[in-house]
Amino acid sequence: MTTEYYEGEKLTSIDFKKNLFEQAEYDNCRFENCDFSASKLNNNIFTDCIFVDCNFSLAELSGTTFQQAIFRDCKLLGLQFQQCNTFGLSFMFENCNIDHASFYQLKIKKTTFKDCQMREVDFSESDLTGSSFYNCDLNQSIFDQTNLEQVDFRNAINITLSPNKNRLRKAKFSLLTLPGLLMEYDIKIES
């Protein structure tokens, strides 16, 4: 099967639910206001691509490659990122809704999550070394056997994690995030 190749393209307001998303390689492309929800993005390659105001909710990502991908103002509900091709996997998220997604067992060091809603996201057994969660809502997100060394949680809210079940060396927290670190000990913190 021949794979199509697109470079430097700008794709705007395309509903991929109605139009079959063809397997292709996209290099340095920009997608704006596109609807990928419930689409099969399997084995597509996105390198240095920017996604703005796109909906990826419940899209299939088996073998999908994201290298240096940027997501801004996107809806990414329920995505199973652990199904992606892990070679060179790297992305940045800004002002996105990533609720119910899974990054299970992924090595995504130095990933930036900024101004994102990330409720009930699974980061179990992931390596997030050097990542940052700036102004992110992590309500009921799961951190279990996760490498959180040098991660910046200072501006995150609703974070709950066990210091005994995660690697936290040089991770940064604010006083406001402290209760989420001590919850398992049933300690009451008063101001």
Side-chain angles (χ1 to χ4, degrees):
M1 175 182 225
T2 304
T3 301
E4 295 293 323
Y5 179 78
Y6 300 93
E7 183 176 5
E9 298 284 328
K10 182 176 179 182
L11 297 107
T12 305
S13 300
I14 300 173
D15 185 350
F16 289 108
K17 291 187 308 185
K18 294 181 181 174
N19 302 306
L20 183 63
F21 192 80
E22 62 181 295
Q23 185 174 335
E25 183 173 344
Y26 298 88
D27 190 4
N28 198 28
C29 292
R30 183 178 180 94
F31 297 83
E32 291 184 10
N33 196 33
C34 293
D35 190 353
F36 297 94
S37 62
S39 296
K40 293 183 179 184
L41 301 177
N42 304 334
N43 301 309
N44 281 280
I45 300 171
F46 300 97
T47 305
D48 294 316
C49 290
I50 298 174
F51 302 92
V52 179
D53 199 27
C54 294
N55 183 0
F56 282 87
S57 298
L58 300 174
E60 291 183 25
L61 300 176
S62 181
T64 303
T65 300
F66 288 112
Q67 295 177 342
Q68 301 297 323
I70 297 173
F71 296 90
R72 287 194 180 112
D73 304 310
C74 292
K75 194 174 185 182
L76 305 154
L77 302 176
L79 290 186
Q80 303 297 306
F81 286 101
Q82 75 272 8
Q83 295 176 350
C84 290
N85 180 347
T86 58
F87 181 75
L89 183 65
S90 60
F91 26 56
M92 178 199 154
F93 302 91
E94 185 175 344
N95 198 37
C96 293
N97 184 337
I98 315 174
D99 290 351
H100 310 287
S102 178
F103 294 89
Y104 178 70
Q105 292 186 329
L106 287 180
K107 288 185 170 96
I108 49 173
K109 296 179 178 184
K110 298 183 180 179
T111 298
T112 299
F113 299 93
K114 182 178 179 186
D115 299 319
C116 293
Q117 181 172 299
M118 306 179 71
R119 296 177 182 159
E120 299 183 46
V121 175
D122 187 0
F123 290 104
S124 298
E125 300 179 34
S126 296
D127 185 350
L128 293 164
T129 302
S131 296
S132 64
F133 292 88
Y134 182 81
N135 197 32
C136 292
D137 183 354
L138 294 164
N139 191 27
Q140 297 183 21
S141 286
I142 301 167
F143 296 94
D144 185 26
Q145 305 304 313
T146 306
N147 186 344
L148 300 170
E149 294 180 357
Q150 302 172 16
V151 171
D152 190 346
F153 287 111
R154 290 179 293 179
N155 295 301
I157 61 170
N158 298 320
I159 183 168
T160 304
L161 61 87
S162 170
N164 295 325
K165 294 181 180 176
N166 297 284
R167 294 173 60 184
L168 296 173
R169 188 169 173 260
K170 296 189 178 182
K172 299 173 185 173
F173 296 90
S174 70
L175 287 175
L176 295 175
T177 58
L178 196 57
L181 290 173
L182 302 173
M183 186 174 286
E184 72 177 83
Y185 303 111
D186 199 23
I187 296 173
K188 294 184 181 188
I189 300 172
E190 297 178 4
S191 57

